[in-house]
Amino acid sequence: VNQQIDTFHDQRSVSKRQSVNVGENDLNFFSYHGIYNIWEFYAVSVEELTFTTIMGVVAVTGVSIVLVPHWTAAFFVLPLICLLYIDLLGVMQWAGVHINAVSYIAVVMSIGLIVDFIMHVILRYYECPGNRRQKTVEMLKTMGSSILVGGLSTLLGTLPLAFSASAIFYTIFIAFLGLVTLGIGHGLILLPVILSLIGPEDQCGAALVVKSDVTSDSDREISSTTRIAQEQSLPVDA
């Protein structure tokens, strides 16, 4: 690949040095072959993939700030998305899938799919009342099964691609296999542990619980005083 990129740049330099092309923004004379399209893709794939990844992660983080009803959601979404993305690249490299036109599309598309495993968990966590442990347990009870079923159904839908002889279909399968496996693992194991340790608590819900406990204690004291007064046949003030 590096030799192809060098050959492409050399060919472009030769064309620019032609007298008819000197001082021109658009080349009037150049050589062309269909393989140049692939070589040009290899030449710009790293920069384009980096730019696309940064823009995708920033966009997802911005959407989380707007849609999730707490500003701290960005501090959980941004690191988890980056971690998931890096893990997915590692899985594809480990499986022998290198960056090409197909894997490039799969990796870029995975940003929008990865965020589902994180965003649903985060949103449900903020909707649940109580302290960190109560919110995490309630979130897993109400949303955990849905995320698990959704991930497994996606994996089953792409499972036939594993038996395909086409390298294109195999690349798509590896991308979805890593995406679903890592998404479920990070969304239902890693993220709940992090939220149970440092996640924001529902202060209003905690205040209501304390107030309810105080009210119950007061009611019990009043009932006890009334019962003692009745036993001693003493008048009870209203």
Side-chain angles (χ1 to χ4, degrees), residues 78-101:
L78 179 60
L80 264 297
I81 292 295
C82 295
L83 181 62
L84 259 172
Y85 194 80
I86 294 173
D87 289 344
L88 179 60
L89 292 177
V91 168
M92 296 182 67
Q93 184 70 24
W94 175 76
V97 177
H98 304 289
I99 296 299
N100 52 46

Side-chain angles (χ1 to χ4, degrees), residues 185-235:
H186 287 68
L188 296 182
I189 299 176
L190 178 60
L191 183 55
V193 172
I194 295 176
L195 291 174
S196 65
L197 295 176
I198 60 175
E201 293 184 326
D202 189 356
Q203 300 297 333
C204 295
L208 291 176
V209 172
V210 172
K211 182 178 179 181
S212 177
D213 294 339
V214 172
T215 303
S216 300
D217 294 339
S218 300
D219 293 340
R220 285 194 294 268
E221 291 178 0
I222 294 174
S223 299
S224 177
T225 303
T226 303
R227 185 175 63 256
I228 294 174
Q230 289 176 351
E231 292 176 354
Q232 295 178 357
S233 299
L234 295 176

